[in-house]
Amino acid sequence: MIVSIEKIAEFSVARACGFAALAIFTLMIGFAWHPAVSFQTGGILTLLTCAILLLKGVNARRKPYKTTELWIILPKDQRPIPEIAQQLIGNVLRDVYLRFALHAAGLSALMLVSALSLSLLGVTPKY
């Protein structure tokens, strides 16, 4: 069975983003007593995740392909030849990182708007 390099890259980045999302969600649950603060915290941390994804996307072409998780996961018989591997893997990872950064930016904006809306509506914690 042939697996596409892009699907493996998506799996790798999605898994890392899933761990970040789990950590952010856990912290947000910790602030559940104050919904505005919870959404604000989630929005800021998701924005930080977006920035990290952007940096990784910008640097993806320069990172040695043999040190990427994508290369490690890719079956040995489906790995590209070394002459094109750096360019191919770098470009695929760049595209995937930037796509996930776009999704993180949208989610961050949604959470920050929710935090602002809750604050403006005067939703306060119930002690």
Side-chain angles (χ1 to χ4, degrees):
M1 180 170 98
I2 296 177
V3 181
S4 86
I5 291 174
E6 187 168 345
K7 291 292 181 196
I8 294 174
E10 286 176 0
F11 168 77
S12 175
V13 175
R15 186 174 67 154
C17 288
F19 285 126
L22 180 62
I24 292 167
F25 180 72
T26 302
L27 190 58
M28 287 177 68
I29 292 296
F31 288 115
W33 56 273
H34 197 307
V37 172
S38 179
F39 278 107
Q40 184 178 18
T41 302
I44 291 170
L45 291 174
T46 305
L47 193 58
L48 177 64
T49 303
C50 174
I52 292 168
L53 287 166
L54 284 172
L55 286 173
K56 290 185 82 60
V58 167
N59 294 320
R61 290 180 178 161
R62 289 188 292 263
K63 184 171 182 178
Y65 69 92
K66 287 186 178 182
T67 64
T68 63
E69 184 179 15
L70 169 58
W71 183 260
I72 294 168
I73 294 173
L74 198 61
K76 291 186 190 307
D77 61 332
Q78 295 179 23
R79 292 179 176 170
I81 59 174
E83 291 80 23
I84 64 166
Q86 181 66 44
Q87 182 179 4
L88 179 65
I89 289 177
N91 286 337
V92 168
L93 281 173
R94 179 182 177 272
D95 293 343
V96 172
Y97 281 132
L98 295 179
R99 187 170 351 121
F100 274 80
L102 181 64
H103 294 304
L107 182 59
S108 175
L110 181 66
M111 284 194 271
L112 290 171
V113 167
S114 297
L116 180 62
S117 299
L118 289 169
S119 293
L120 292 175
L121 291 173
V123 176
T124 58
K126 306 279 191 240
Y127 296 107

